[in-house]
Amino acid sequence: MDRREELTEFLKSRRARVRPEDLGLKVFNGRRRVPGLRREELAQASGVSADYYVRLEQGRADNVSQEILDAVSEVLGLDDAERDHLARLAKPVRRRRQRRTVQRIRPALQQLLNAMDGVPAFVLGHRMDVLAWNRLAAALVGDFAELPPKERNMPRRVFLDESSREFYPQWDAVAAESVEYLRLYAGRYPDDPELAELVGELSIHSAEFRELWARYGVKDKCFGVKVMHHQLVGELTLQYETFTLPDDPDQMLVTYSAVPDSDSDQALRLLTSWTTPAPDQADREKSRFPETAPELP
């Protein structure tokens, strides 16, 4: 992915969201060739020259200051995730190209997942790959052990598995969130070949993904609410929390919970009771939920 092209398209997409009238700028009669703000209008509102802003948007502004990025972000109304994304694109950290190593789950983390009775939980890694999960997460979202390692990926599930549209009643919102996080990840690691492969595969097979990817939206994963329709226990409205792991910022622990005494809470308890193995089955289950997580690419 070309950083300059990414920066150009991102700023163009953000300019398109803002009307000059919103900034108190006088709009002259005549046909406007672009929606939203023109480059000159954004430059004026940000307090920089039009020529400098053009170079910034094209990725040709060397040593751009944080003050200028803050001014542009303020005019465009960027949120925290968008501001961080802009900074990474405009002021990239030069890194020595390294061979990306296999992500590993610490044994203590897998043990924690296994001990979280009543709480569906899993760990996401690079590009939203599913690295580890517990028994209830497998019962709720799907048993990733049945999939090849390459297919244990949430965006692939959302866009390439037709059953996901029934599983997520609010599929459009889930799809947009998945793409927005991938875009944020792309800003952090623009030279990730596996990400380019994933984006290419999803673009070929999903028109919805192509449309969402072209919007250049970015969003970090943090917390929220998701609605799921399980084929056995019906519809659940679950709160999710995301925790970045201290030893690897590219690994995230995701947990789901229901409001106490709600219908969703009762459904989750029922699903838990069905997935708890009998004592004589515990040994057989260890191969699917080991104390040490398997290595995944």
Side-chain angles (χ1 to χ4, degrees):
M1 296 183 181
D2 184 83
R3 179 189 63 83
R4 290 186 175 183
E5 180 181 348
E6 185 80 8
L7 175 60
T8 299
E9 296 302 327
F10 176 70
L11 283 173
K12 285 172 61 177
S13 69
R14 301 308 94 170
R15 281 196 289 114
R17 302 188 307 185
V18 183
R19 301 182 306 168
E21 297 92 332
D22 297 336
L23 303 178
L25 298 177
K26 185 176 181 179
V27 180
F28 297 98
N29 293 331
R31 183 178 179 182
R32 297 176 65 88
R33 292 184 299 174
V34 296
L37 289 179
R38 293 170 173 164
R39 289 172 172 173
E40 297 79 6
E41 293 167 338
L42 177 54
Q44 176 186 347
S46 302
V48 300
S49 70
D51 178 67
Y52 185 85
Y53 177 76
V54 169
R55 288 188 286 117
L56 169 62
E57 187 170 290
Q58 293 177 347
R60 297 186 294 109
D62 296 329
N63 300 319
V64 58
S65 70
Q66 188 59 49
E67 289 75 16
I68 289 178
L69 293 181
D70 287 342
V72 171
S73 298
E74 191 68 27
V75 173
L76 293 176
L78 304 187
D79 61 24
D80 290 344
E82 291 172 322
R83 286 171 181 259
D84 291 344
H85 187 64
L86 173 60
R88 291 190 186 98
L89 295 176
K91 301 175 64 176
V93 177
R94 300 196 180 278
R95 304 172 180 172
R96 184 179 62 180
R97 186 178 291 256
Q98 296 179 336
R99 182 178 179 272
R100 195 168 293 279
T101 58
V102 173
Q103 283 190 299
R104 292 179 171 85
I105 301 298
R106 288 182 287 107
L109 181 56
Q110 182 65 61
Q111 292 165 17
L112 174 63
L113 290 175
N114 295 346
M116 296 173 72
D117 292 334
V119 178
F122 52 88
V123 176
L124 296 179
H126 297 148
R127 304 165 296 276
M128 299 177 70
D129 291 333
V130 182
L131 303 179
W133 57 94
N134 64 8
R135 182 177 293 103
L136 190 52
L140 175 66
V141 181
D143 192 351
F144 295 100
E146 297 179 352
L147 299 175
K150 184 178 179 180
E151 295 181 16
R152 298 172 190 173
N153 176 271
M154 293 307 291
R156 278 194 175 95
R157 170 182 168 84
V158 170
F159 289 98
L160 303 184
D161 186 345
E162 286 298 324
S163 67
S164 69
R165 297 174 186 270
E166 180 180 353
F167 181 75
Y168 295 113
Q170 299 173 345
W171 185 88
D172 290 344
V174 174
E177 180 184 273
S178 299
V179 173
E180 288 165 352
Y181 180 76
L182 276 186
R183 177 70 72 179
L184 189 71
Y185 178 85
R188 295 172 180 164
Y189 303 103
D191 59 346
D192 182 346
E194 286 83 6
L195 175 64
E197 179 183 353
L198 174 62
V199 171
E201 178 185 358
L202 296 178
S203 297
I204 291 173
H205 297 289
S206 172
E208 292 94 338
F209 179 85
R210 291 195 300 272
E211 179 183 348
L212 290 168
W213 188 252
R215 294 180 186 177
Y216 288 86
V218 294
K219 182 179 180 181
D220 208 349
K221 291 187 69 65
C222 48
F223 60 89
V225 176
K226 280 187 179 178
V227 180
M228 305 175 184
H229 183 81
H230 194 275
Q231 60 180 351
L232 296 180
V233 299
E235 187 168 292
L236 304 95
T237 300
L238 301 178
Q239 304 162 126
Y240 68 88
E241 298 284 343
T242 304
F243 307 91
T244 301
L245 301 184
D247 59 331
D248 185 347
D250 289 332
Q251 289 189 23
M252 299 175 292
L253 172 64
V254 183
T255 64
Y256 288 102
S257 63
V259 174
D261 300 322
S262 64
D263 291 342
S264 296
D265 185 37
Q266 296 300 318
L268 196 57
R269 289 175 183 272
L270 182 59
L271 190 60
T272 302
S273 68
W274 289 344
T275 57
T276 301
D280 60 343
Q281 295 177 328
D283 290 339
R284 293 195 298 270
E285 288 288 303
K286 285 183 179 180
S287 62
R288 297 174 61 203
F289 301 95
E291 292 300 313
T292 302
E295 294 183 0
L296 299 177

